[in-house]
Amino acid sequence: MRVLVWRAAVLLGALVIWEVAARPLNPILYVAPSRLPAALMRMLSVKDLPPLPEHLWLTSKEVAAAYLLAVAAGLWFGFLLGLRRTLGRIYEPLLAALYAIPSVVWYPSLMLFFGLGPASKIAFGLLLGFFPIVLSVLAGIRQVPPLLVTVAVSMGARPGAVFRKVMLPAMASTMVGGLRSGLALSVVGVLVGEILGARSGIGYVINYAYGLLMTGEYVVLVVLIAAAVLALDGAGALLEARVRRWAG
Amino acid sequence: MSRVTVLGCQLVSIVVLLLAWEGAVRVGLADPLFIPKPSAVAAALGTSAGDVLPRLADTVLKTLLGYGGAVLLGVTAGLLLGSRPRLHEVAMPYVVALYGVPKVLVLPWIALILGIGLPTAVLSAGLFALFPIVLMVAAGTRDVDPTLIMVARSMGATRSAIARKVLLPAVLPSVLAGLRIGLIFALLGVLLAEMFAGNRGMGFHLQRLAMAFKAPELFAATAIVSILSVTVVLSLEHVNRRLGRWR
């Protein structure tokens, strides 16, 4: 309980510092929190911004496409390399090396190939989401005790049953962790793509507001998107906790 | 399978991939305007090296500046958070939340305040690198076995001896892991800032090559940055393993 009070105090303190620091400064560059509600109302009522729901919907579709592709590719490669030891020994180090590259260097090439439309954003979200998923599947498979698999097989379990009853519970919590980071990174990928250059999507609206020096609206957008991202990740965390309980 | 065989298979796979790629472009399966031949990329690597290296140096300098700041602040904050349970309990949710928020959202504001030069890129690098370092160091510090410290103290070790002989070796692996991840994130932060609002550096260069449809040069520049970061990360891992032996 006292911890909660302290946490609230920290949040309040941060807001007060923000307010006090922003007040005397140039209001175009520094937006005090007390000005945010008015900016939100302006954003919802006045037509000085592109229609928000439309762009939000497009971004959500991009994220969904990127994440689904990342899950499919990540699971496929993960199980391929994890279950075939030889392939894994050869190609896992190459994957790990690719993961060490700051992902954003790929974006200009993707933009060149896919253009400024949604395709390049989906491709970048896919690329970012793919790595944590494939690496978590590989790590998960390594956690499966080989003895359990041997015992199950020797007792006559079919491959499908071994997979469902032995492997999946042993690797579930690691894998779900990877799926969760993959989702966060797919969102980041789409947002980065949109902010670096797009004609639609929520990142475009951000650039639009900031480009016209509508900083109040810009800050509102940033706060709302950050909250949405955290809520999405929070839902992922709840799901992860459930899976962990199931896997024991 | 021996290590040499694995390495051989890796090399063969890469060569086969490059040859298949070259062949695919030559027979017209891929448009060289978007996907250049590997041979064209290699040629561009040679001709554009003089153009790329100064920009790369510019980007590396910004990365190191931002990274240095993030390391100082991040390791200090991580040690504090990890060693004080009350502080950890109160502040950690905020640190995790800040870690989770896409940093790219505040990039426009940073660029608005600091302009399109070095300060924006350095701050962006620091912002990207800070939170992973804090989280890793805090987690590592929290996981130090308290009995180790108790035993050392009951055997009469001084505070500084405990810090040097017990805490440092125990915390070191997570600090190094944080530093390694932080470096990639710092580079990412600089490249992103340069792409978004820059007029120098590799990020700007990459973006401009893409806009100008100079695919061979773009792929060559991408390859140079990639090779640089893979080399740095692999050598840091090597150092890490040696330190592991020291412990």
Side-chain angles (χ1 to χ4, degrees):
Chain A
M1 194 57 215
R2 285 191 52 189
V3 171
L4 287 183
V5 173
W6 272 106
R7 277 184 198 160
V10 169
L11 189 62
L12 202 66
L15 282 174
V16 168
I17 292 174
W18 178 3
E19 181 77 38
V20 170
R23 274 272 169 91
L25 297 171
N26 183 347
I28 296 180
L29 299 182
Y30 302 89
V31 180
S34 57
R35 282 171 50 208
L36 292 184
L40 177 65
M41 292 319 291
R42 244 189 349 262
M43 210 167 68
L44 293 176
S45 58
V46 185
K47 295 203 181 311
D48 50 1
L49 273 178
L52 211 49
E54 235 170 76
H55 291 284
L56 201 59
W57 176 232
L58 178 72
T59 300
S60 317
K61 281 194 290 189
E62 286 170 356
V63 168
Y67 184 57
L68 288 179
L69 290 169
V71 169
L75 293 182
W76 192 74
F77 271 102
F79 281 109
L80 182 72
L81 298 187
L83 296 179
R84 313 212 178 256
R85 292 284 146 86
T86 325
L87 284 181
R89 278 202 62 188
I90 297 172
Y91 294 110
E92 196 184 339
L94 294 181
L95 268 184
L98 284 178
Y99 195 41
I101 298 170
S103 50
V104 76
V105 291
W106 307 115
Y107 188 69
S109 308
L110 292 175
M111 202 176 67
L112 175 71
F113 189 75
F114 290 106
L116 281 176
S120 56
K121 283 79 199 168
I122 294 172
F124 195 52
L126 157 66
L127 186 71
L128 259 67
F130 168 73
F131 280 101
I133 296 174
V134 72
L135 293 177
S136 74
V137 173
L138 287 168
I141 289 177
R142 267 198 298 271
Q143 281 169 359
V144 178
L147 186 66
L148 283 186
V149 177
T150 318
V151 171
V153 169
S154 71
M155 284 159 88
R158 290 157 188 257
V162 172
F163 180 74
R164 255 182 305 116
K165 302 256 161 101
V166 181
M167 288 191 60
L168 218 47
M171 56 188 296
S173 61
T174 307
M175 211 169 78
V176 172
L179 287 169
R180 187 181 150 203
S181 340
L183 177 59
L185 281 176
S186 285
V187 174
V188 168
V190 168
L191 280 177
V192 166
E194 286 183 351
I195 287 181
L196 282 181
R199 290 191 208 88
S200 45
I202 204 74
Y204 162 76
V205 182
I206 285 187
N207 268 345
Y208 183 92
Y210 140 86
L212 290 180
L213 287 181
M214 298 154 73
T215 26
E217 284 85 337
Y218 159 73
V219 176
V220 169
L221 276 171
V222 167
V223 171
L224 290 180
I225 297 170
V229 169
L230 291 179
L232 193 63
D233 196 51
L238 287 180
L239 205 66
E240 190 181 348
R242 280 195 82 134
V243 171
R244 272 181 212 274
R245 267 208 304 283
W246 168 75
Chain B
M1 227 174 12
S2 73
R3 275 190 65 185
V4 180
T5 328
V6 170
L7 206 66
C9 288
Q10 289 171 343
L11 282 177
V12 168
S13 312
I14 293 172
V15 170
V16 167
L17 180 73
L18 288 176
L19 284 176
W21 173 2
E22 177 89 26
V25 183
R26 290 215 169 188
V27 300
L29 283 175
D31 188 344
L33 184 61
F34 302 111
I35 301 187
K37 288 178 296 190
S39 55
V41 175
L45 215 51
T47 53
S48 64
D51 205 19
V52 162
L53 291 179
R55 295 173 201 278
L56 191 63
D58 190 45
T59 295
V60 168
L61 171 73
K62 293 175 195 159
T63 305
L64 292 178
L65 285 174
Y67 178 63
V71 168
L72 272 180
L73 203 64
V75 172
T76 316
L79 289 174
L80 269 174
L81 281 167
S83 55
R84 287 167 207 246
R86 294 293 300 278
L87 183 67
H88 190 273
E89 221 175 351
V90 172
M92 215 50 186
Y94 293 115
V95 179
V96 173
L98 287 173
Y99 172 73
V101 169
K103 262 44 110 209
V104 66
L105 291 174
V106 290
L107 199 53
W109 185 66
I110 297 177
L112 192 64
I113 306 264
L114 295 178
I116 56 173
L118 178 132
T120 296
V122 171
L123 186 60
S124 168
L127 202 60
F128 273 86
L130 178 64
F131 294 100
I133 297 179
V134 173
L135 286 182
M136 288 245 169
V137 174
T141 313
R142 237 163 96 85
D143 287 346
V144 174
D145 190 353
T147 45
L148 279 181
I149 299 168
M150 239 160 57
V151 169
R153 196 174 294 154
S154 67
M155 282 156 77
T158 58
R159 270 187 89 91
S160 72
I162 291 178
R164 246 180 318 117
K165 298 261 167 84
V166 182
L167 283 179
L168 184 65
V171 171
L172 201 61
S174 48
V175 171
L176 288 175
L179 295 190
R180 205 166 60 221
I181 293 182
L183 187 55
I184 306 179
F185 273 90
L187 181 55
L188 195 154
V190 171
L191 289 168
L192 189 58
E194 287 172 346
M195 284 180 191
F196 180 76
N199 52 5
R200 294 170 64 187
M202 272 321 266
F204 169 72
H205 189 53
L206 287 165
Q207 190 81 338
R208 199 178 50 173
L209 289 173
M211 297 289 190
F213 281 86
K214 290 186 169 170
E217 287 81 4
L218 173 62
F219 276 52
T222 307
I224 289 174
V225 179
S226 308
I227 290 166
L228 175 76
S229 43
V230 170
T231 314
V232 169
V233 169
L234 289 185
S235 33
L236 285 180
E237 260 166 33
H238 184 70
V239 172
N240 208 0
R241 249 176 273 134
R242 301 199 98 173
L243 280 170
R245 256 178 265 149
W246 165 72
R247 288 174 70 226

